[in-house]
Amino acid sequence: MSGIIKGRYILLLRYGIGASVIISLVYYVQKQEKIIPILSQYEMTRILPALALIILHLGVLYYLWRNIILNVGVINPGEKKMIHSFFGGRTLGLLTPGHSGELLKGLFFSSEVRLEATSLSILYAGYGIIVRSVLGVVAGIYFIFRKPSVITISFSFSITIGLALLVIGLTFFLLRRRRIITFIIRLMPDGVMELFTLFNNQIRTNTPQQLLVCFLYALVANILSVFTFMVLLSGFGTNVFNFEGLMAFEAAYFVMSILPFTPSSIGVRETSRVYFFSLIGCSQAEVLCASFIMFFLNNILPAVFGIWSLNHFMDKDS
């Protein structure tokens, strides 16, 4: 019981951190520009096409999940169960740090396949993370060399040190991987290791065609998310339908992935978007408002639909 209470306190603390970041960001932006007058000028006709793009985005993500379940895991729980797991996972993702609740999609399945389905949810998240990481690193390099005067020395220095540490870490892992893996295995509970064993087996048994299809689903979903934000931002009369807009979004998206401190990345998402889009000349207030609108359409609305699906979470009668 004490562990549950501690977990709730930690979750509340994370919400508090996210709320504090949002309040600080709004205060900072408000000092630069008046947010309410800018928001009142928003062209509401942009909401409908943005909503259509979000539906397409969710549809592509669902078919990625469906493809992994049916063709990679070779599990057939039925369409209804897969839909419940997808939208229920969206709801859990809204409530957990960095959308990590989406890794619990497998717990919506019957007890016989829950462990395997949970490993498939890790695989599902992995495709998105790889796409975001590759595009995010490209975006980071682009901003470093695009206009050095715009990027502060400290930011460039941090990126350089980070990449250097990554190379050193990967080199050390490749040289000592057996000892490191053995050490990690000894630390982890049997259930967790069984989960990762299943995950590893599924990656090894993937055909090149299956890998390509999954990566294409993840890439299309990512691009649809980019276009959605561009459409929403155009409601303020700001045109970012260009390469710079793509790079700004991907850089911010990558920051959200590597800093999963707050539930649903609250605060991290808005701050990173305001920062990177301001580098290409966008109004901070417009970017902040567009980010809030997208959060409502892309995160809150699907999570509300997923509340009903939570009835099937860890269902003993599944």
Side-chain angles (χ1 to χ4, degrees):
M1 183 63 70
S2 60
I4 296 175
I5 295 173
K6 182 180 178 181
R8 288 176 180 173
Y9 276 124
I10 292 174
L11 183 60
L12 287 173
L13 177 61
R14 290 178 182 272
Y15 271 112
I17 293 172
S20 300
V21 173
I22 288 289
I23 292 170
S24 301
L25 180 63
V26 170
Y27 176 75
Y28 171 78
V29 172
Q30 180 68 22
K31 288 203 311 181
Q32 316 299 319
E33 307 170 76
K34 300 299 180 183
I35 296 175
I36 299 300
I38 289 177
L39 184 59
S40 65
Q41 297 172 6
Y42 187 73
E43 191 176 338
M44 297 301 291
T45 54
R46 293 293 191 274
I47 297 294
L48 193 59
L51 194 56
L53 285 170
I54 286 173
I55 291 172
L56 283 174
H57 167 75
L58 293 174
V60 171
L61 286 178
Y62 171 71
Y63 273 95
L64 169 60
W65 174 235
R66 186 178 185 274
N67 179 68
I68 290 174
I69 291 294
L70 297 178
N71 298 325
V72 179
V74 196
I75 302 172
N76 190 5
E79 203 72 36
K80 183 178 178 182
K81 187 66 68 176
M82 286 188 289
I83 292 173
H84 281 309
S85 67
F86 179 78
F87 281 102
R90 299 288 297 188
T91 304
L92 294 173
L94 182 68
L95 303 173
T96 51
H99 300 277
S100 58
E102 291 217 36
L103 298 177
L104 302 178
K105 281 184 173 71
L107 298 182
F108 287 86
F109 293 88
S110 63
S111 55
E112 292 82 5
V113 295
R114 271 179 194 156
L115 191 61
E116 185 177 358
T118 301
S119 69
L120 291 172
S121 69
I122 297 174
L123 191 62
Y124 163 85
Y127 285 109
I129 290 171
I130 291 172
V131 169
R132 290 197 299 273
S133 298
V134 171
L135 293 176
V137 168
V138 171
I141 294 172
Y142 170 78
F143 277 111
I144 289 173
F145 294 101
R146 165 186 171 269
K147 192 183 291 185
S149 60
V150 175
I151 308 295
T152 62
I153 295 175
S154 59
F155 179 74
S156 301
F157 179 76
S158 299
I159 292 293
T160 304
I161 293 298
L163 291 174
L165 290 175
L166 180 62
V167 171
I168 293 171
L170 287 174
T171 304
F172 181 77
F173 176 78
L174 290 173
L175 293 174
R176 301 282 183 174
R177 62 183 181 276
R178 289 186 180 179
R179 291 185 181 181
I180 294 172
I181 292 172
T182 302
F183 177 73
I184 294 173
I185 289 174
R186 288 175 180 173
L187 290 178
M188 287 190 172
D190 293 338
V192 174
M193 287 314 305
E194 185 179 353
L195 179 66
F196 277 97
T197 299
L198 285 169
F199 173 67
N200 184 51
N201 291 337
Q202 283 151 3
I203 292 177
R204 289 176 179 275
T205 55
N206 266 0
T207 64
Q209 183 180 358
Q210 287 172 337
L211 285 170
L212 179 61
V213 169
C214 289
F215 273 119
L216 283 175
Y217 273 129
L219 179 61
V220 170
N222 182 289
I223 297 302
L224 285 170
S225 187
V226 176
F227 279 129
T228 301
F229 191 73
M230 289 177 172
V231 168
L232 288 173
L233 201 51
S234 70
F236 295 105
T238 301
N239 182 8
V240 289
F241 289 92
N242 49 44
F243 185 73
E244 282 190 336
L246 172 65
M247 292 293 96
F249 186 91
E250 294 299 347
Y253 211 174
F254 181 56
V255 171
M256 288 165 50
S257 299
I258 61 176
L259 298 175
F261 299 134
T262 60
S264 194
S265 297
I266 296 170
V268 178
R269 170 183 48 252
E270 290 76 19
T271 303
S272 57
R273 283 177 183 163
V274 166
Y275 175 74
F276 284 105
F277 276 92
S278 67
L279 293 181
I280 61 173
C282 293
S283 161
Q284 293 180 345
E286 291 176 0
V287 173
L288 180 61
C289 292
S291 188
F292 283 145
I293 295 171
M294 185 164 176
F295 176 65
F296 177 77
L297 296 176
N298 190 48
N299 295 83
I300 294 179
L301 281 184
V304 170
F305 283 111
I307 291 175
W308 178 54
S309 297
L310 292 180
N311 293 325
H312 299 268
F313 184 70
M314 294 290 287
D315 188 355
K316 295 180 181 179
D317 299 323
S318 295

